[in-house]
Amino acid sequence: MAREIPTAFAIGEALRIAMETDPDVILMGEDVAGGGTRPDGTDEAGGILGTTRGLVKQFPDRVLDTPISEMALLGSAVGAAVTGLRPVVELMFMDFIGVCLDPLLNQAAKFRYMFGGKARVPLTVRTVTGAGMQAAAQHSQSLYWITTGIPGLKTVIASNAGDAKGLLLAAIRCDDPVVVCEPKSILFLSSEVPEGDYEVPIGKAKLVREGGDVSLVGMGGTVNTALQAAMQLEQDGVHADVLDLRSLQPLDEEAILTTLGKTGRLVVIDEATPRCSVASDVAALCVDKGFDLLNAPVKRVTAPFCPVPFSRVLEEAYIPSPQRVIEAVRELL
Amino acid sequence: MAREIPTAFAIGEALRIAMETDPDVILMGEDVAGGGTRPDGTDEAGGILGTTRGLVKQFPDRVLDTPISEMALLGSAVGAAVTGLRPVVELMFMDFIGVCLDPLLNQAAKFRYMFGGKARVPLTVRTVTGAGMQAAAQHSQSLYWITTGIPGLKTVIASNAGDAKGLLLAAIRCDDPVVVCEPKSILFLSSEVPEGDYEVPIGKAKLVREGGDVSLVGMGGTVNTALQAAMQLEQDGVHADVLDLRSLQPLDEEAILTTLGKTGRLVVIDEATPRCSVASDVAALCVDKGFDLLNAPVKRVTAPFCPVPFSRVLEEAYIPSPQRVIEAVRELL
Amino acid sequence: MELTYEMILGAYRTMRMIRSFEEKLIELVTLGKMSGFLHVYMGEEAVATGVCMHLKDPDYAASTHRGHGHCIAKGVDVRGMLAELFGRQTGTCKGKGGSMHIADLEKGMLGANGIVGAGIPLATGAALTAKLKKTGGVAVAFFGDGASNQGAFHESLNLAAIWKLPVVYVVENNGWGEFTPTEFVVPVKDIAERAKSYAMASAIADGMDFFDVQAKAADAIARARRGDGPTLLECKTYRFAGHYVGDGLAYRPKAAADAWIQERDPIRLFIDRVLAEKTLTTDDLERVDGEVTRHIADAVKAAEEAPEPTVDDLLRDVYAEPR
Amino acid sequence: MELTYEMILGAYRTMRMIRSFEEKLIELVTLGKMSGFLHVYMGEEAVATGVCMHLKDPDYAASTHRGHGHCIAKGVDVRGMLAELFGRQTGTCKGKGGSMHIADLEKGMLGANGIVGAGIPLATGAALTAKLKKTGGVAVAFFGDGASNQGAFHESLNLAAIWKLPVVYVVENNGWGEFTPTEFVVPVKDIAERAKSYAMASAIADGMDFFDVQAKAADAIARARRGDGPTLLECKTYRFAGHYVGDGLAYRPKAAADAWIQERDPIRLFIDRVLAEKTLTTDDLERVDGEVTRHIADAVKAAEEAPEPTVDDLLRDVYAEPR
Ligand SMILES: Cc1ncc(C[n+]2csc(CCOP(=O)(O)OP(=O)(O)O)c2C)c(N)n1
Ligand SMILES: Cc1ncc(C[n+]2csc(CCOP(=O)(O)OP(=O)(O)O)c2C)c(N)n1
Ligand SMILES: [Mg+2]
Ligand SMILES: [Mg+2]
């Protein structure tokens, strides 16, 4: 019967498979080893959330703890990627992109184009996103809209353990720089994860629920929010399609327009703040190429336009809830 | 009769007025003085584009050349802003935000909120944006979508010299951190600039042309693109409203919905790349609150999703043109 | 500078307050009464105390993710801090900041900070304000050994050096950055060495010895106030607890840690010395211990009874001038 | 290392090629035949030449906004470079990069770079590849005095030091960062000093003396190849022209500049020495001058005749694997 493991384990499994199948794959980051190979025989931490635990013992020379120097971490990873390695960088929390955006924005994303197609940048950046652990304003942001908006980068985000494994394997083997977001809300949830080596193609969304009355489009943790909303809506006889974007750039426009074509009504749920968001892109797609399919406004259920508050009550109110999705759907019917 | 001066001069004028009227206003940046007060009596550069020329002579202690250390430049400006100064930072080109995003993303934007409303961050960041000078991929980007998307920041962009002066004065006197974009395409264009001290309110768009058949929404340099398109459309009897957003965050939703209400047809023109853009937000607004006003799809005329190419021909093809706006309008009629 | 009886007693109160405050936090987390990311300062109390005793309210200090000690030493109200950690409306930041963002500008506390190294340019900017507005104030940046590998450290110290800013950079070298020993990531023996890259004054203090810290901090702060520029002050200390509350410490050799904890506890060392030198009596110490315990108990009670924010607060204070 | 006749003649060819190449660019810009942001290397030719002569194709070099000299010295084809500056399809980057982005990975050129300091971590990463894949290769980062104030400099040198990477950091101290004299923004006399913050080897070379540069570069590169870690090599040089082509230089005292240009021209110094030591003859030099002039003339002609990109190229090569 199907094997269910937490997303964090599935990610570790993907990393091990990638390293076993390609000697050029290395891991770099703060405390990705965190002990383990030390003379004093201490046990390793395997990253702040333990995701990489066990890897340094198996690949002592290819799991590299770095100083707290993200600019050098990202920048040297880009340099390593264009010269023959296939680095997988752990940027502990995506909030830290503020100290190391340039290597992504102006280097990794642009080399291939600026150099007339002569460069390959097989770089993967894994990074934890999202709220829900009362980690407050600087450790809880969903900043994937920034990397999504940069031409030359690809950005993916899984909603379950199985996709997290397959997307990460695809990202590592992709010759373009890929940012792989790991939402806090799914890291410790268990779900079915196939054994062995497989890839989930980058750029393909997945219809995870068949309805027909309304389309709920989610990404990462908000796919579960959408599914919960869909189940409650079902009880009132509203049948919802739920589309898991999985890839934020490239965006699977065809899949979005297909479900919109079925339902004529769409709500997009995004844990990020609303301005310049993936949610806005989905809505803009609907009112452009999907205009003739629309029977109602396109609603965006996102975080409010404010920093992530510490207080438990406020953080709960901050994160998009099934209730808010249901209310949005009600406005469309 | 009305006085016409280049935008760059109007900006210098605003800076001088701000410094004359408030002793706490200081300028910080690379070569914002660039000589001028030196013992050897050399003349000053006044910034890479000469915008701040003349100021260091008038305010020798308040125009500060910094090392090429944008993280310290932005970070110390935030520290100065919360402790009693009103710094105006020049970030030479917005492309350089990759090396200094954190002070904006995680510090300036969040202090007031994180600290329970107890902080004021009267910081202004002036920065040059956009293509058109064959400055290539790392000196030509329109990255205002990044600052627009960050809660706690405000972002403005003028389309003419008069607004550039008034918006900058308003930004400097605002108690919130404001990013003031200076598009290359308008810096050296002359237009009418009132004498003396005045402010253009942040958050208010301006209808710069009255039409009624279709709404063209622009920002910065694309307002001129829209006006040119409007004039050509006029010849075929198509009367276009042209709305100048001026403020990207806050976004003047009312003004957008008002012109959409008149025309039912809208094209938004944005020099930035399309993903997670202000253009997407405008389209998303139309299909949400403006749904009942829509008679046609909302078209986004933006830069293509690629880095800015060096080649003259390619750069010309890259920048949104009146022709592309006209084609978009044709699709709506 | 000669330390008066009041100064020494005040220093003890501060150190004891920090220690008891964090012991209480650990207790509350263990009982499941408190949540969030908590990084405790235990073992490093002498640093914040020895430095901040020479600062006044108009002077500024920028802190880190491990900020409780700096906040308390800089005079932030403990009741507000506890309420903040409980996420209450009465908290220093109305419950919106939490442990990593406690700030009180009126007390000159520029804030704990969740971004390693981010406080360094902030303090540099506060020093720029002091210099340009001639307030006579100084600014202090507290940060860790790990933060000294951040670009912001390099850029800020260089800027302060060329502008001769009234700022003191206090690097708390506690031997660890998360799970990584400092010597794995810092190739020089003394981080104070790095001041030479900026022709900046530097000093090294025994961070477990309050008296050594306060003496060297006094010099550095005086240099800044005189207008003679910045100092990099390295305080050698040790992180007694894990990186965060809940850290199992599996990666840390126990023997070495125990040696520090048993032989170099800054509060223990302080007590031994003041009693030996008879500057304070056991009565003094016990009186303070009692006051501190009661003060914290009251603060916890008040915090637990205080109201939580309401959803209306969610969008409040994003901007000073909303439209 | 003993320099052979071929090596010395080759060095002269490289320096002359760089100089003539940029003289031609200035002419073309003045005639309005070429546009874009151009930063010329004039006066600094001995640095790129002295360093790169010790590198092979599999070795990597990261350059700056002032990259023509590094590219030519690292073996990038001048014809392609000229075509690139004309924005032609036949350019090194098919016309998409321009002066600030010329790169040729096959020649080990990681690219000119429009972001000050960005090449430093890139070269560090190339050195990591060499170390992990045991290629025996080394990496060099060229950057300016101004770039040594960037956080990326600090973080990268620290990383290379703790990992003992085979990399050489070549800081070209040309006295200016745009319009600001180096001494206004760098508080230490020698940037090489900064190596001490990382317990890193360092050296200072007279950047106008090809022979001094190549000797010290040879040592540093050998150290890297031996696996003995990185070096910070400061080359004291001078920016003969303005910051960019078109810079009026109003901010720069003329006398000091003229002294450098008239007395310390690296090519002039080179010629005087090789003729005095009779290592090369005037015939040798004139032959090379002729070859270089013809080569550049042909390259300009070819570039002017080459096709420009077409709109179909606009969206090409954004991704290796488009969907
Ligand atoms: C820019 C950034 N990178 C990484 C982190 C994650 N992080 C939080 S604390 C810490 C260790 C800091 O070490 P140090 O500066 O020595 O301070 P200490 O925890 O020892 O007091 C790290 C890596 C962060 N918060 N910010
Ligand atoms: C991050 C960044 N900041 C600022 C600039 C603008 N800029 C381009 S070159 C330059 C001066 C660089 O000085 P230096 O490093 O000494 O190199 P040099 O020009 O003297 O060769 C500056 C400030 C930039 N390109 N990138
Ligand atoms: Mg530490
Ligand atoms: Mg220079």
Side-chain angles (χ1 to χ4, degrees):
Chain A
M1 68 123 244
R3 180 186 62 143
E4 299 212 337
I5 59 173
T7 303
F9 291 9
I11 291 166
E13 209 167 84
L15 293 171
R16 187 165 40 68
I17 291 169
M19 295 181 83
E20 283 169 348
T21 51
D22 183 348
D24 290 336
V25 173
I26 61 165
L27 300 194
M28 304 169 71
E30 289 150 22
D31 293 306
V32 285
T37 53
R38 309 232 176 108
D40 52 50
T42 51
D43 192 9
E44 86 265 32
I48 188 76
L49 300 178
T51 318
T52 52
R53 191 168 295 142
L55 293 169
V56 68
K57 292 233 169 71
Q58 188 177 351
F59 309 100
D61 310 328
R62 291 161 60 194
V63 179
L64 310 176
D65 278 340
T66 67
I68 309 170
S69 307
E70 287 81 5
M71 187 63 88
L73 166 59
L74 269 289
S76 63
V78 175
V82 291
T83 54
L85 287 173
R86 202 168 273 277
V88 180
V89 167
E90 177 172 304
L91 178 62
M92 198 178 297
F93 292 96
M94 195 169 194
D95 310 67
F96 307 159
I97 200 167
V99 298
C100 57
L101 181 61
D102 187 74
L104 290 173
L105 171 66
N106 287 320
Q107 315 300 328
K110 296 177 168 48
F111 275 6
R112 184 172 185 80
Y113 190 83
M114 289 193 306
F115 300 167
K118 291 175 188 166
R120 274 182 331 123
V121 189
L123 169 70
T124 301
V125 178
R126 296 176 38 240
T127 190
V128 173
T129 62
M133 288 171 72
Q134 278 199 270
Q138 295 173 338
H139 283 68
S140 305
Q141 296 169 87
S142 293
L143 297 173
Y144 41 70
W145 57 275
I146 294 180
T147 56
T148 296
I150 298 172
L153 299 182
K154 294 178 175 178
T155 300
V156 300
I157 185 166
S159 68
N160 60 75
D163 282 353
K165 179 180 173 182
L167 279 169
L168 180 52
L169 277 163
I172 294 172
R173 290 159 180 176
C174 175
D175 278 345
D176 294 308
V178 184
V179 175
V180 179
C181 300
E182 303 176 352
K184 292 192 189 74
S185 57
I186 71 150
L187 269 178
F188 304 107
L189 293 184
S190 291
S191 58
E192 182 174 346
V193 176
E195 304 275 356
D197 188 343
Y198 64 93
E199 297 178 21
V200 168
I202 295 172
K204 289 247 164 281
K206 184 178 180 195
L207 194 68
V208 292
R209 188 179 193 282
E210 283 274 359
D213 299 335
V214 63
S215 303
L216 306 182
V217 177
M219 60 204 89
T222 64
V223 172
N224 297 326
T225 316
L227 286 168
Q228 288 162 34
M231 281 184 297
Q232 295 184 43
L233 286 165
E234 192 68 42
Q235 287 154 24
D236 321 6
V238 179
H239 313 297
D241 265 15
V242 175
L243 184 70
D244 179 351
L245 287 180
R246 299 200 296 193
S247 171
L248 304 182
Q249 165 55 35
L251 186 66
D252 190 346
E253 301 194 344
E254 198 185 319
I256 296 166
L257 295 172
T258 304
T259 179
L260 179 64
K262 274 166 60 185
T263 67
R265 294 176 163 72
L266 187 141
V267 175
V268 52
I269 309 104
D270 186 349
E271 195 188 334
T273 44
R275 295 302 316 275
C276 301
S277 60
V278 173
S280 289
D281 282 348
V282 171
L285 170 70
C286 295
V287 71
D288 181 1
K289 299 184 187 160
F291 183 74
D292 298 336
L293 311 172
L294 284 174
N295 298 328
V298 174
K299 291 289 173 191
R300 288 166 291 161
V301 173
T302 70
F305 196 62
C306 66
V308 183
F310 165 72
S311 140
R312 208 192 71 265
V313 228
L314 293 182
E315 190 182 37
E316 267 168 25
Y318 179 94
I319 301 170
S321 63
Q323 197 44 45
R324 285 181 53 210
V325 176
I326 291 164
E327 285 156 15
V329 170
R330 295 246 171 280
E331 295 183 51
L332 306 186
L333 299 171
Chain B
M1 76 110 251
R3 179 186 65 141
E4 299 213 336
I5 59 173
T7 303
F9 291 9
I11 291 166
E13 208 167 86
L15 292 170
R16 186 165 41 66
I17 292 168
M19 294 182 84
E20 283 169 347
T21 51
D22 182 349
D24 290 337
V25 173
I26 62 166
L27 300 194
M28 305 168 70
E30 289 150 22
D31 293 306
V32 286
T37 52
R38 307 221 178 117
D40 52 50
T42 51
D43 192 10
E44 86 264 31
I48 189 76
L49 301 176
T51 318
T52 52
R53 192 168 293 143
L55 293 169
V56 68
K57 291 233 168 71
Q58 189 176 348
F59 309 99
D61 310 327
R62 290 161 60 194
V63 179
L64 310 176
D65 278 341
T66 66
I68 310 169
S69 307
E70 286 81 5
M71 186 63 86
L73 167 58
L74 269 289
S76 64
V78 175
V82 291
T83 54
L85 288 173
R86 203 169 270 278
V88 180
V89 167
E90 177 173 303
L91 178 62
M92 196 178 297
F93 292 96
M94 195 169 193
D95 311 68
F96 307 160
I97 199 167
V99 298
C100 56
L101 182 61
D102 188 73
L104 290 173
L105 171 67
N106 286 321
Q107 315 300 327
K110 296 178 169 44
F111 276 5
R112 184 172 185 79
Y113 190 84
M114 288 193 306
F115 300 167
K118 292 176 187 164
R120 274 182 333 122
V121 190
L123 168 71
T124 301
V125 178
R126 296 176 40 237
T127 190
V128 172
T129 62
M133 289 170 72
Q134 278 200 268
Q138 294 172 339
H139 283 67
S140 306
Q141 297 170 86
S142 294
L143 296 174
Y144 42 70
W145 56 275
I146 293 180
T147 56
T148 297
I150 299 172
L153 300 182
K154 293 178 175 178
T155 300
V156 300
I157 185 167
S159 68
N160 61 74
D163 282 352
K165 178 179 172 181
L167 279 170
L168 180 53
L169 277 163
I172 294 171
R173 291 157 179 178
C174 177
D175 279 344
D176 295 308
V178 184
V179 176
V180 179
C181 299
E182 303 176 352
K184 293 191 187 75
S185 56
I186 71 150
L187 269 177
F188 304 107
L189 293 183
S190 290
S191 58
E192 182 175 347
V193 177
E195 305 275 356
D197 188 343
Y198 64 92
E199 297 178 21
V200 169
I202 295 171
K204 289 245 162 284
K206 184 179 180 197
L207 194 67
V208 293
R209 188 180 195 282
E210 284 273 1
D213 299 335
V214 63
S215 303
L216 306 181
V217 176
M219 59 204 89
T222 65
V223 172
N224 297 324
T225 315
L227 287 168
Q228 288 162 36
M231 282 184 296
Q232 294 185 44
L233 288 164
E234 193 68 41
Q235 286 154 26
D236 319 9
V238 179
H239 313 297
D241 264 15
V242 175
L243 185 71
D244 180 351
L245 287 180
R246 300 202 295 193
S247 172
L248 305 181
Q249 166 54 33
L251 186 66
D252 190 345
E253 300 194 345
E254 198 185 319
I256 295 166
L257 294 172
T258 304
T259 179
L260 179 64
K262 275 166 60 184
T263 66
R265 294 177 162 71
L266 188 141
V267 176
V268 52
I269 309 104
D270 185 349
E271 194 188 334
T273 44
R275 295 302 315 275
C276 301
S277 61
V278 173
S280 289
D281 282 348
V282 170
L285 170 70
C286 295
V287 72
D288 181 1
K289 299 181 186 161
F291 184 73
D292 298 337
L293 310 171
L294 283 174
N295 298 329
V298 174
K299 291 288 174 191
R300 287 167 292 161
V301 174
T302 70
F305 195 64
C306 67
V308 183
F310 165 72
S311 140
R312 209 192 69 266
V313 237
L314 293 183
E315 191 183 34
E316 269 168 23
Y318 179 94
I319 301 169
S321 63
Q323 198 43 47
R324 284 181 51 210
V325 177
I326 291 165
E327 284 156 17
V329 170
R330 295 246 170 281
E331 293 183 54
L332 305 186
L333 299 171
Chain C
M1 179 203 308
E2 257 314 310
L3 297 182
T4 64
Y5 168 83
E6 285 67 27
M7 291 165 98
I8 297 177
L9 192 66
Y12 178 69
R13 181 180 289 103
T14 303
M15 289 200 285
R16 172 60 65 198
M17 185 69 79
I18 299 170
R19 179 69 57 95
S20 304
F21 179 86
E22 294 195 317
E23 283 168 345
K24 176 60 71 176
L25 298 187
I26 293 169
E27 177 192 321
L28 289 163
V29 171
T30 320
L31 296 175
K33 288 185 168 190
M34 184 176 279
S35 47
F37 280 36
L38 290 179
H39 306 92
V40 297
Y41 194 60
M42 214 168 281
E44 312 183 33
E45 294 89 346
V47 180
T49 306
V51 171
C52 293
M53 72 180 288
H54 299 296
L55 300 177
K56 314 185 194 62
D57 282 0
D59 296 326
Y60 285 96
S63 176
T64 69
H65 57 285
R66 202 174 297 289
H68 307 140
H70 309 128
C71 290
I72 291 173
K74 193 69 179 68
V76 180
D77 171 32
V78 166
R79 296 170 65 90
M81 287 176 64
L82 264 166
E84 185 60 31
L85 297 181
F86 273 103
R88 306 298 163 141
Q89 241 173 19
T90 55
T92 320
C93 306
K94 300 189 182 158
K96 283 177 171 172
S99 170
M100 278 194 283
H101 306 301
I102 294 175
D104 185 344
L105 294 166
E106 268 146 41
K107 292 289 178 184
M109 170 43 66
L110 289 166
N113 211 306
I115 304 299
V116 167
I120 307 175
L122 294 175
T124 307
L128 178 63
T129 301
K131 182 178 177 134
L132 294 184
K133 291 178 79 98
K134 305 197 173 53
T135 66
V138 304
V140 171
F142 290 101
F143 53 96
D145 43 282
S148 80
N149 288 333
Q150 275 285 331
F153 165 88
H154 175 66
E155 296 190 5
S156 301
L157 269 69
N158 187 66
L159 191 68
I162 60 172
W163 286 353
K164 267 189 158 236
L165 297 179
V167 54
V168 180
Y169 297 102
V170 178
V171 54
E172 303 176 309
N173 186 345
N174 63 5
W176 292 85
E178 276 192 8
F179 319 136
T180 300
T182 306
E183 64 266 27
F184 284 31
V185 286
V186 176
V188 284
K189 195 177 120 296
D190 300 314
I191 290 167
E193 263 290 304
R194 294 184 163 177
K196 297 211 184 83
S197 283
Y198 322 102
M200 185 184 294
S202 69
I204 298 177
D206 175 352
M208 299 317 221
D209 176 352
F210 159 80
F211 295 93
D212 193 41
V213 171
Q214 74 80 23
K216 283 162 179 156
D219 293 345
I221 291 167
R223 176 177 299 116
R225 284 203 207 281
R226 278 200 311 274
D228 290 343
T231 305
L232 175 58
L233 172 59
E234 177 176 10
C235 298
K236 309 268 191 188
T237 177
Y238 196 77
R239 194 189 75 203
F240 280 12
H243 169 58
Y244 58 93
V245 177
D247 175 356
L249 283 167
Y251 55 86
R252 187 163 90 173
K254 198 162 176 328
D258 291 345
W260 277 95
I261 295 165
Q262 279 142 31
E263 292 148 37
R264 307 280 295 131
D265 183 320
I267 297 184
R268 180 81 259 144
L269 295 177
F270 178 96
I271 292 173
D272 294 347
R273 174 159 168 181
V274 294
L275 291 181
E277 294 178 352
K278 300 202 171 19
T279 32
L280 299 184
T281 67
T282 43
D283 286 4
D284 292 324
L285 302 176
E286 283 164 9
R287 198 175 64 254
V288 168
D289 294 352
E291 290 164 13
V292 166
T293 314
R294 278 189 302 281
H295 188 72
I296 289 173
D298 295 349
V300 171
K301 190 159 175 306
E304 286 182 310
E305 290 164 357
E308 299 208 55
T310 69
V311 175
D312 308 348
D313 297 317
L314 185 59
L315 280 166
R316 200 163 283 151
D317 293 324
V318 181
Y319 293 99
E321 303 169 9
R323 252 198 64 249
Chain D
M1 176 202 312
E2 256 314 308
L3 297 182
T4 64
Y5 167 84
E6 285 67 29
M7 291 164 98
I8 297 175
L9 192 67
Y12 179 69
R13 181 178 291 104
T14 303
M15 289 199 285
R16 173 60 65 198
M17 185 68 79
I18 298 170
R19 179 68 58 95
S20 306
F21 179 86
E22 295 195 314
E23 284 168 346
K24 175 60 71 178
L25 297 188
I26 292 169
E27 177 192 321
L28 291 162
V29 171
T30 321
L31 296 174
K33 288 187 169 189
M34 185 176 279
S35 46
F37 280 35
L38 290 180
H39 307 90
V40 296
Y41 194 62
M42 214 167 282
E44 311 183 34
E45 294 89 347
V47 179
T49 306
V51 171
C52 293
M53 73 179 288
H54 298 298
L55 300 177
K56 315 185 193 61
D57 283 0
D59 296 325
Y60 285 96
S63 175
T64 69
H65 56 284
R66 202 173 297 289
H68 307 140
H70 309 130
C71 290
I72 291 173
K74 192 68 179 70
V76 180
D77 172 32
V78 166
R79 297 171 65 90
M81 287 175 65
L82 264 165
E84 185 61 30
L85 297 181
F86 273 102
R88 307 297 165 141
Q89 240 172 21
T90 55
T92 320
C93 307
K94 302 191 181 156
K96 284 178 170 169
S99 169
M100 276 193 284
H101 306 300
I102 294 175
D104 185 344
L105 294 166
E106 269 149 40
K107 293 287 178 186
M109 171 42 66
L110 289 166
N113 211 306
I115 304 300
V116 167
I120 307 175
L122 294 176
T124 306
L128 178 63
T129 301
K131 182 179 176 134
L132 293 184
K133 292 178 78 103
K134 305 194 172 54
T135 66
V138 304
V140 172
F142 289 101
F143 55 96
D145 44 282
S148 81
N149 289 333
Q150 274 284 330
F153 164 88
H154 175 66
E155 296 190 3
S156 301
L157 269 68
N158 187 65
L159 192 67
I162 60 172
W163 286 353
K164 270 192 152 223
L165 297 179
V167 54
V168 180
Y169 297 102
V170 179
V171 53
E172 303 177 310
N173 187 344
N174 63 4
W176 292 85
E178 276 191 8
F179 319 135
T180 300
T182 306
E183 64 267 27
F184 284 31
V185 285
V186 176
V188 284
K189 195 177 121 295
D190 301 315
I191 290 167
E193 263 291 303
R194 295 185 162 176
K196 297 212 183 83
S197 283
Y198 321 101
M200 186 184 293
S202 69
I204 298 176
D206 175 352
M208 299 316 222
D209 177 353
F210 159 80
F211 295 94
D212 193 41
V213 171
Q214 73 80 24
K216 282 162 179 156
D219 292 344
I221 291 166
R223 175 177 300 118
R225 284 202 206 282
R226 275 200 313 275
D228 290 342
T231 305
L232 175 58
L233 172 60
E234 177 176 10
C235 298
K236 309 268 192 189
T237 177
Y238 195 79
R239 194 189 75 202
F240 280 12
H243 170 57
Y244 58 93
V245 177
D247 175 357
L249 283 167
Y251 55 86
R252 186 164 90 173
K254 198 160 177 327
D258 290 347
W260 277 96
I261 294 164
Q262 279 143 31
E263 293 150 37
R264 307 278 295 130
D265 184 321
I267 297 184
R268 180 79 260 145
L269 296 177
F270 178 96
I271 292 172
D272 294 346
R273 173 158 170 184
V274 293
L275 291 182
E277 294 179 349
K278 300 198 168 29
T279 31
L280 299 184
T281 68
T282 43
D283 285 4
D284 292 324
L285 302 176
E286 283 163 10
R287 196 174 66 255
V288 170
D289 294 351
E291 290 164 9
V292 166
T293 315
R294 278 190 302 280
H295 189 70
I296 289 174
D298 296 349
V300 171
K301 190 160 176 303
E304 287 183 311
E305 291 166 356
E308 298 207 56
T310 69
V311 175
D312 308 347
D313 297 317
L314 186 58
L315 279 167
R316 200 162 284 152
D317 294 324
V318 181
Y319 293 99
E321 303 168 10
R323 248 201 65 252

